[in-house]
Each structure stands twice: as C-alpha cells, then as structure tokens.
C-alpha cells in the first residue's frame, strides 16, 4: 500500500469519495470540508490504479485558478511534475478546444475568434444603429444579458419561444438573430457559443459525440451547484458510454441564479444519473463549532436542499456576536472600534473581512476607515469615491462650484452624450491653451466666433446654459447641495441614462448615487463636502502592509478569514426585497444560502449586526431586523444591545412611551427588545 499513502490524510468520508470510482457519484461537500483535496486525490487515485490515462479524464472547474491549483495538487500527490491533464480546465476552455477541432460542424473555420464583453457591446451597438434602436433606452449590456440567458437555456434564435406579452423580448429576438448571423460572418463566437455550439455538434453528429463520450472514462466537476442548463446538458451528452461522473458541490452555497445557475441540477442529480451514490463531507476544517451551529440552524429553514450536518474538527469557539445599532453610522464606528481593539490584537488585518449584501453599503465603512486611518481594500469592486458614476456626480458639482475646474469640465462635458466629440473638444482645449482661458470660457469664446460645428454647438450651448442655471439655483436661490445634485442628475439626463439601461450594473450605479446623496447630508454645504471628497481621494490608497477586506457576500465565496463582520441584516436589504419580489420563495431561499456563505467564511469570530434606523434615498427610515436574525439559534448567540447603552447614557427612562416622536418605539426596536426577553 506504499503507493496509496495519499489516502492516509483523508477522513472516512473523504476516503469513501476517492475510492468510489465506478458509476455516478454526488459529493455533497459542506463549507470548509476539503472538496478540492478529495477531487485531486480522486484523480491521483484513478491514475495510480491505472484506471485511465491522463487524456481520458475530464475535469471541469469554473475558474482558471481552480484548474491550476488542481493540476499542481495532483502532481504533488503523484510526485511527478511532468504529468499533464490535457482535459482539465474551465467549461469554456474545454469547449473551445473541442470546437477548434470541429469548427466546420458549427459553420466556423478553425481559426475562429472568441470575442469578449467589449467586442459584444460594439457589435450590439452597430446592430442597434442599423435597426434604429435607441441604445439610450435599451442598454447594449441588457441585450447581451438576455442573449446570454437564451444561450444558457440552450436556445439559438429559432429556438426561442416567447409569450405574447413579451413585446420587448420580441424586438430583442430580432437583434439576437442578426447578432448570431454577424458572428458567423465574422468567423467568431462569444463565450456562450462555446458550450452551445459544442452541444449542438454532439446532438447533430453522433460520431463526434461517441468519440468524446468513449474517450472520457472519468468525468469530475467542481462547484456543480453553479452549473446552468446548457452545462448540465453538455455533461450528460459526454456520459453516454461511461457513467463514471463525479460532481462535487454544496447546494447550500448555490447563490448565482442571477448568472443562470440552476440549483435543481444538483438537487436532481440522482434522477438524471441512475444508481447515483451520494457521499456527504460533513467534517469542517475551517470554522469553530459555534459558527457551524449558527450557520446550520439558519440554512435548515430552506426546504430545497439535500441536507447535512457540519461538524468542526476544532473547539467550540466563541459565541457568534449579534449587535444592534442606532443607525448605519454607529454601526460603522463600532465595527472600526472592534477591529482596532480586540480583533487587531488577535489577527492580521488581511484576515479580517466585512461582507455586505450590496456594494453601496461599503461607503459608511470607507468613510470611517479613512477618518481614523484604518487601511482597507475593496475586493471585487472599486472604492466608493473612485466609482465612475460617483466621479461623474462629483465632477458636475465641482464645475458648478468652481467654473475654472477644467478636469471636471472635461469629464462631464459629453456625459451624457451631447454630440461634443473628440474633434470639438480638441478645438476647445487648444483655444483655452492659446488664450489662457478655462475650458468653459474657451467654449463660450468659440461659440461667439461660430467655430464649433452646428450639432456640437447646440449640445455645448445647452450644457453651458445648464451650468449657469445650476449655479443660480445653488448660489442665488439657496438650494442646498443635496437638492442641487438631484436637479443636476435630472436636468442633465444622467439619471434617465442609468434608468433606461436596465441591467444589474446600472441598478448598482443608481444605488451608489443614492448612497452619495446620503453622504452629502452629513455636510453643511457644497464646499465642505467637496473638500471632504478631495481629502478622502487624496489619501494613498495603496497602503503597504495589512488591510481590512471589504466585499459583497457574493464575492466572498471560496474565501476564508479569521474574523467576519456581517452588517446591515435588515428586511429589504437582507434578504433583498428585489430577490423576493422577483423569485418569491426561491429568492428567499437563495438569500438564506447567501447568509450561510457569509457566516461560514469565518474561522473564529463572527459579528452580525443591524440598525434600527437607516438613511436611505434622502430619508430616515425605521428598519426591521432581518427575518434571518429570528432564525439564529439563541444558544450560540451573544447579543449586544448598543442602542440601549446609548439610551442609558444620554436619555432618561421616564419618557412618555406613547409619544410618536420617540424613535425608540420603532418597529425594529420593539422587535429586538421582544427577542431579548
């Protein structure tokens, strides 16, 4: 058994998953249970036992990073750096390899081009231009997302079936048809085509399908809960001759339905593949038992799951902290104090994370961290004041406040589009340099001299007139800086531009702008706010050394930290109202899975928190704590009532409890007090 030493480091169930190499196998791998270790050991075992050659093993991942790690681990187990796994890679990379070999079957040449997102946008824009479709009303990104959705369902244009009510989609189906024809004419395909074309080739060419299904004696799939319809269909076509398919994943971590992931692929695996063996990996090597108890109790409320019970190989650990705060600002302040206090004494800042439901939530934490000099990084996103839409808004405010701010003028003179192209702007810039004008004064000068092209001239005049109006609104009519930005966004067409482009990216941008308006409320005037922004953005953002990690819960999947903060657990925010409105019970269950992912990122310390009041879209609202908080097991929770502490310090208790102005009678406050009893 000398050659089976790699099995010694596996627990009972990991070993069972590795040794079971005949027939379909579903590995239900809980968070931190060592699924990568199992997958790589399984590949090594197949090779060690001479069950297959390296080119007869198909191993599919979702990222190139995961593929590289698997290759390295297999080589390490086998003590052989020379062993290559030619069919180890992502769905897209493997399908691209197959498609290169059989390009003619998809009406392509072997040297076809794979276009990226930018190429897609340009192609869609050109089609919309010819078809007289206004891209200001229908975003190219929205069209692309719809096309991707159809391709994930396995639909070419002629396969799409629409309901009578779907008028918008009917119009966009025409674009899809033109788009697909253009791709063929260009000898190109997008990422969605890579899998779609492969499935089509397999279905129409039995001989090609047979060749690959016979070759792949073993198929292994990582993160199976994240697969979509067309990916699962592709896998099924490859198991015609051998049913040795092993899929690994965690149904409790299926959080990407918005990207097309189908959790039913995982839940119904044993229905698709007969005689499936299911192995559960329930020993957790990451988190303490208290953390796992909280996460397990919460996720048990989901109906659509296979079920498992996570057991930690560590000690019981600290109780999970549940904090109640007066508002979002207090929440950010308290979190920073905890990090600077007990957390920084125990762990490196690199091993501390704040996980939010929506990216705009990072703003209050960023403001606080900048104020106290606590270094941080945004994972999977851009810092708040560096986001394009925020910089646009700030530029508008700067040029209204100070008409010589050329950098601000340059940024927004043609945002939204005003027909002021590069040629016109070059003329304005050269004239400004020649005559020592500001860009604004240079524009006025060229208009007077009638040197600007008619279309650009109209756009420039309208823009300059708006600037004068906004300055008058603010300085003469005494409109405050918050109202000023709202007027600017409305009258410039900027808000409408974002509202018309119906995709997730623009929804996030609108949320960020709403959060900017919230931030502006904290300052007395426009000058003090702009000074704050300048100071905030001038700080060296590339601190060396340790940094606290800020990210969304979605971005945290696959990561782990010593301490995790989970703020903003309030109804409407988390679970997110949009998710429930659009998907009902399925949406709620996915939100709960997201909570599960967030909690299980932590090794030792978890801090969950909510606020009783939040400033949102210009108004203070009474928040209600998330229903997920009600589902947390009392036994493993330490409740900290920060709000009550403040009340004891600053307020008397003999207040009239019937007073409607008493903020301590908010729904969230009453609900929390009831829970404390």
């Amino acid at each position: 058994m000398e050659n089976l030493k790699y099995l010694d480091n596996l627990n009972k169930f990991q070993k069972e998953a590795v040794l079971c190499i005949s027939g379909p196998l579903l590995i239900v791998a809980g968070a931190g249970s060592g699924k990568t270790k199992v997958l790589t050991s399984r590949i090594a075992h197949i090779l060690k036992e001479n069950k297959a050659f390296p080119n007869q093993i198909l191993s599919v991942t979702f990222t190139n990073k995961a593929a590289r790690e698997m290759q390295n681990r297999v080589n390490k187990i086998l003590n052989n750096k020379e062993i290559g796994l030619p069919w180890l890679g992502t769905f897209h990379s493997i399908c691209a390899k197959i498609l290169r070999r059989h390009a003619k079957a998809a009406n392509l040449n072997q040297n076809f081009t794979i276009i990226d997102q930018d190429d897609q946008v340009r192609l869609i824009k050109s089609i919309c231009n010819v078809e007289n479709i206004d891209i200001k009303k229908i975003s190219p990104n929205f069209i692309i997302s719809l096309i991707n959705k159809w391709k994930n369902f396995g639909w070419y244009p002629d396969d799409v079936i629409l309901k009578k009510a779907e008028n918008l989609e009917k119009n966009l189906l025409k674009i899809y048809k033109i788009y697909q024809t253009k791709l063929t004419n260009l000898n190109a395909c997008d990422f969605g085509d890579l899998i779609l074309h492969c499935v089509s080739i397999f279905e129409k060419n039995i001989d090609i399908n047979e060749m690959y299904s016979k070759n792949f004696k073993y198929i292994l799939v990582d993160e199976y809960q994240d697969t979509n319809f067309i990916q699962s269909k592709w896998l099924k076509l490859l198991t015609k001759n051998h049913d040795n398919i092993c899929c690994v994943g965690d149904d409790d971590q299926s959080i990407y339905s918005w990207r097309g992931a189908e959790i039913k692929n995982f839940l119904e695996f044993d229905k698709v593949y007969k005689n499936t063996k299911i192995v559960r990996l329930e020993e957790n090597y990451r988190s303490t038992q208290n953390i796992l108890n909280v996460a397990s109790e919460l996720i048990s409320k989901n109906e659509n799951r296979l079920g498992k019970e996570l057991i930690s190989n560590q000690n019981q650990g600290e109780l999970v902290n549940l904090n109640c705060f007066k508002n979002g600002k207090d929440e950010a302040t308290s979190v920073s104090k905890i990090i600077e206090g007990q957390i920084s004494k125990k762990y490196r800042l690199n091993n501390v994370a704040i996980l939010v439901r929506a990216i705009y939530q990072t703003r209050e934490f960023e403001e606080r961290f900048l104020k106290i000099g606590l270094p941080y990084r945004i994972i999977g996103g851009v810092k708040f004041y560096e986001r394009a839409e925020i910089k646009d808004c700030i530029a508008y405010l700067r040029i209204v406040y100070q008409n010589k701010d050329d950098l601000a003028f340059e940024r927004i003179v043609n945002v939204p589009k005003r027909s002021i192209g590069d040629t016109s702007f070059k003329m304005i810039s050269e004239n400004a340099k020649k005559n020592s004008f500001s860009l604004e004064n240079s524009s006025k000068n060229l208009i007077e001299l009638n040197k600007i092209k008619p279309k650009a001239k109209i756009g420039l005049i309208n823009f300059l007139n708006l600037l004068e109006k906004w300055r008058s609104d603010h300085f003469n009519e005494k409109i405050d800086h918050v109202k000023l930005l709202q007027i600017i966004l409305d009258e410039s067409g900027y808000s409408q531009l974002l509202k018309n482009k119906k995709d997730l990216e623009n929804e996030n941008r609108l949320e960020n702008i709403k959060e900017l308006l919230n931030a502006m409320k904290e300052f007395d005037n426009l000058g003090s706010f702009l000074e704050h922004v300048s100071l905030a953005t001038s700080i060296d953002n590339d601190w060396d050394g340790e940094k606290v990690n800020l990210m969304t819960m979605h971005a945290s999947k696959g990561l782990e930290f010593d301490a995790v903060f989970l703020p903003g657990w309030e109804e409407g925010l988390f679970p997110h109202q949009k998710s429930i409105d659009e998907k009902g019970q399925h949406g709620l269950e996915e939100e709960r899975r997201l909570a599960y992912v967030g909690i299980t990122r932590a090794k030792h310390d978890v801090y969950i928190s909510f606020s009783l009041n939040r400033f949102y879209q210009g108004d203070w609202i009474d928040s209600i704590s998330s229903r997920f908080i009600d589902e947390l097991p009392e036994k493993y929770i330490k409740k900290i009532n920060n709000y009550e502490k403040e009340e004891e310090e600053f307020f008397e208790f003999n207040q009239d409890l019937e007073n409607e102005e008493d903020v301590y009678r908010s729904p969230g406050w009453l609900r929390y007090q009831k829970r404390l009893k």
Side-chain angles (χ1 to χ4, degrees):
M1 295 291 287
E2 180 67 25
N3 65 338
L4 299 182
K5 265 189 174 180
Y6 55 90
L7 297 177
D8 295 342
N9 297 321
L10 304 176
N11 65 41
K12 176 185 174 183
F13 297 102
Q14 289 175 332
K15 190 178 293 185
E16 183 183 2
V18 169
L19 296 177
C20 179
I21 57 175
S22 293
L25 174 68
L26 181 67
I27 303 174
V28 184
S33 61
K35 66 177 178 67
T36 305
K37 186 179 184 179
V38 169
L39 274 177
T40 51
S41 297
R42 187 178 167 87
I43 294 171
H45 185 66
I46 291 168
L47 294 171
K48 275 275 191 182
E49 294 295 291
N50 295 316
K51 296 294 184 180
F53 293 110
N55 71 333
Q56 294 176 318
I57 299 173
L58 172 65
S59 188
V60 192
T61 66
F62 272 86
T63 66
N64 291 316
K65 182 183 176 183
R68 286 193 300 271
E69 185 181 353
M70 285 181 69
Q71 178 69 71
N72 291 334
R73 286 203 190 189
V74 170
N75 290 344
K76 190 175 180 179
I77 292 172
L78 298 174
N79 293 316
N80 189 343
K81 294 182 180 180
E82 303 302 319
I83 289 183
L85 295 165
W87 295 103
L88 166 61
T90 64
F91 279 98
H92 291 120
S93 66
I94 291 168
C95 284
K97 187 184 290 190
I98 294 172
L99 194 55
R100 293 279 181 205
R101 295 182 175 186
H102 311 284
K104 286 186 179 179
N107 294 318
L108 295 167
N109 295 324
Q110 196 174 16
N111 63 342
F112 64 83
T113 302
I114 303 170
I115 66 170
D116 60 16
Q117 179 84 7
D118 290 340
D119 294 326
Q120 282 183 286
V121 169
R122 283 199 294 272
L123 185 54
I124 291 293
K125 280 182 176 178
S126 70
I127 294 169
C128 289
N129 186 46
V130 173
E131 296 297 317
N132 294 316
I133 294 171
D134 189 354
I135 60 172
K136 291 181 181 178
K137 294 182 178 179
I138 303 175
S139 161
N141 283 322
F142 175 74
I143 298 170
I144 290 167
S145 69
L146 185 59
I147 290 172
N148 289 339
K149 185 178 83 172
W150 285 332
K151 290 184 177 183
N152 288 342
F153 287 147
W155 297 341
Y156 285 104
D158 291 340
D159 302 320
V160 178
I161 301 172
L162 299 175
K163 298 174 184 176
K164 291 182 180 179
E166 295 172 322
N167 291 324
L168 174 62
E169 291 195 354
K170 282 182 180 178
N171 291 330
L172 299 184
L173 178 57
K174 182 171 73 172
I175 295 177
Y176 181 20
K177 288 179 179 177
I178 299 169
Y179 172 78
Q180 225 41 37
T181 302
K182 289 260 187 190
L183 284 179
T184 303
N185 293 338
L186 290 167
N187 190 37
C189 61
D190 59 25
F191 282 95
D193 285 330
L194 294 173
I195 302 178
L196 184 60
H197 287 337
C198 276
V199 168
S200 178
I201 289 170
F202 288 165
E203 288 183 326
K204 294 176 181 177
N205 301 272
I206 297 173
D207 57 330
I208 297 175
N209 187 193
E210 281 285 312
M211 180 174 68
Y212 286 97
S213 64
K214 282 181 179 178
N215 180 72
F216 296 135
K217 290 184 177 181
Y218 293 93
I219 297 175
L220 300 92
V221 187
D222 193 14
E223 303 287 4
Y224 189 65
Q225 79 281 345
D226 294 333
T227 55
N228 57 35
F229 173 82
I230 196 68
Q231 289 165 340
S232 67
K233 189 173 183 178
W234 178 74
L235 289 167
K236 182 62 179 172
L237 287 165
L238 289 171
T239 58
K240 278 188 173 181
N241 286 275
H242 306 285
D243 64 353
N244 301 322
I245 181 170
C246 169
C247 292
V248 184
D250 185 1
D251 50 325
D252 291 334
Q253 296 188 67
S254 179
I255 59 174
Y256 296 126
S257 67
W258 51 277
R259 285 196 324 211
E262 297 263 10
I263 191 173
K264 74 175 184 180
N265 290 343
F266 195 93
L267 299 176
E268 297 179 2
F269 183 87
D270 58 343
K271 294 178 182 177
V272 176
Y273 299 96
K274 302 301 180 186
N275 302 314
T276 290
K277 182 179 177 64
I278 298 176
V279 176
R280 287 174 169 81
L281 304 183
E282 297 177 314
E283 186 171 354
N284 177 283
Y285 295 89
R286 176 188 300 153
S287 309
T288 61
Q289 191 60 53
N290 278 333
I291 292 173
L292 296 182
N293 289 340
V294 170
S296 297
E297 181 70 21
L298 179 63
I299 201 63
S300 70
K301 303 298 187 290
N302 275 6
E303 294 179 5
N304 296 300
R305 61 189 296 261
L306 294 179
K308 59 185 173 297
E309 185 177 346
L310 292 180
I311 307 296
S312 176
N313 75 334
Q314 301 182 45
N315 56 26
Q316 203 67 23
E318 300 292 331
L319 295 175
V320 169
N321 297 278
L322 176 60
N323 293 342
C324 171
F325 296 103
K326 180 181 176 181
N327 52 49
K329 191 173 183 179
D330 285 357
E331 186 177 46
T333 301
S334 180
V335 167
S336 69
K337 287 179 179 176
I338 295 169
I339 293 173
E340 284 195 305
Q342 63 254 44
I343 294 297
S344 63
K345 293 174 183 174
K346 293 198 291 184
Y347 314 119
R348 295 166 56 196
L349 291 183
N350 280 348
N351 291 328
V352 179
I354 299 172
L355 311 182
V356 297
R357 175 61 182 85
I359 193 64
Y360 73 83
Q361 290 175 260
T362 66
R363 197 272 304 175
E364 283 185 311
F365 293 97
E366 291 188 61
E367 295 271 18
R368 177 64 186 172
F369 292 174
L370 287 167
K371 185 176 181 180
I372 64 175
L374 187 64
Y376 71 93
R377 65 171 67 86
I378 302 290
I379 304 294
V382 179
K383 292 182 176 181
F384 186 79
Y385 287 113
E386 293 175 6
R387 294 166 195 169
E389 62 279 7
I390 301 301
K391 293 180 82 169
D392 288 343
C393 291
I394 300 298
Y396 268 111
L397 292 171
R398 280 170 47 185
I399 193 62
V400 169
Y401 188 72
Q402 208 274 89
N403 67 358
K404 293 183 179 179
D405 193 332
D406 285 352
L407 291 175
F409 185 95
E410 181 179 359
R411 183 176 182 91
I412 46 83
V413 66
N414 202 39
V415 180
K417 299 289 185 186
R418 300 185 177 95
S419 301
I420 306 166
D422 292 342
T423 304
S424 298
F425 186 78
K426 186 178 178 183
M427 189 182 295
I428 295 168
S429 298
E430 288 175 349
N431 186 54
K433 186 178 180 181
K434 181 181 176 183
N435 297 292
S436 298
F437 289 154
S438 68
L439 292 178
E440 184 174 337
N441 286 334
S442 176
S443 301
K444 292 175 180 177
N445 177 245
L446 291 173
I447 288 169
E448 288 175 4
L449 297 172
N450 201 30
K451 291 190 176 180
I452 303 289
K453 291 181 180 179
K455 202 171 179 180
K457 183 179 177 181
I458 294 169
L460 197 55
I461 289 172
N462 289 338
F463 176 62
L464 294 172
N465 287 340
L466 282 171
L467 288 180
E468 292 300 326
K469 178 190 175 298
W470 295 332
R471 287 173 186 142
S472 177
D473 288 344
H474 182 59
F475 295 110
N476 300 331
E477 298 186 25
K478 307 297 182 183
I479 290 174
D480 71 41
H481 53 297
V482 180
K483 183 64 178 176
L484 173 65
L485 180 56
Q486 290 172 325
I487 290 171
I488 289 172
L489 291 169
D490 182 39
E491 294 180 351
S492 68
Y494 197 96
S495 291
Q496 201 58 44
L497 175 70
L498 295 183
K499 288 175 183 175
N500 285 338
K501 295 182 176 181
K502 298 179 180 179
D503 57 37
L504 184 62
E505 187 179 350
N506 280 292
E507 286 177 16
N508 288 336
R509 285 174 177 166
L510 284 167
E511 288 293 339
N512 286 334
I513 290 173
K514 290 170 185 175
E515 187 59 26
L516 177 65
L517 291 166
N518 293 344
M520 293 172 68
K521 285 270 188 177
E522 298 175 15
F523 298 86
D524 295 331
N525 53 60
L526 180 57
S528 61
F529 171 68
L530 290 176
E531 183 176 326
H532 165 76
V533 174
S534 297
L535 291 171
T537 53
S538 68
I539 293 174
D540 183 10
N541 290 320
D542 294 315
W543 291 286
D544 292 328
E546 302 289 312
K547 303 176 189 178
V548 177
N549 302 282
L550 275 74
M551 71 194 81
T552 63
M553 282 183 268
H554 281 102
S556 74
K557 190 168 173 287
L559 303 177
E560 60 181 31
F561 306 93
D562 287 323
V564 168
F565 292 82
L566 298 163
W569 280 40
E570 298 135 33
E571 283 294 308
L573 179 54
F574 190 54
H576 204 284
Q577 194 60 45
K578 184 184 175 187
S579 187
I580 296 172
D581 289 345
E582 291 181 354
K583 302 173 194 171
Q585 184 64 23
H586 291 293
L588 176 61
E589 291 203 354
E590 181 158 337
E591 291 287 297
R592 192 177 283 112
R593 291 195 292 270
L594 194 56
Y596 174 85
V597 167
I599 295 169
T600 55
R601 298 312 91 197
K603 295 179 182 179
H604 307 292
D605 293 286
V606 175
Y607 292 81
I608 298 170
S609 60
F610 67 96
S611 300
L612 303 178
N613 300 277
R614 248 193 224 267
F615 198 73
Y616 186 68
Q617 297 188 31
D619 292 305
W620 284 102
I621 59 170
D622 289 335
S623 302
I624 298 176
S625 57
S626 170
R627 69 189 75 187
F628 297 156
I629 287 176
D630 289 332
E631 297 170 359
L632 301 176
E634 300 267 342
K635 186 179 178 181
Y636 308 108
I637 296 292
K638 179 183 178 183
K639 296 174 181 176
I640 305 169
N641 194 339
N642 294 280
Y643 198 102
E644 191 169 58
K645 288 178 183 177
E646 282 197 9
E647 189 179 44
E648 290 174 356
E649 189 175 349
F650 298 109
F651 298 91
E652 297 180 0
F653 279 98
N654 61 355
Q655 301 176 68
D656 181 4
L657 295 179
E658 299 301 316
N659 184 356
E660 291 183 353
E661 297 300 313
D662 184 4
V663 294
Y664 304 106
R665 309 299 294 171
S666 72
W669 173 245
L670 293 172
R671 184 170 170 181
Y672 188 70
Q673 291 305 305
K674 192 174 180 181
R675 191 179 305 119
L676 287 176
K677 294 175 182 177

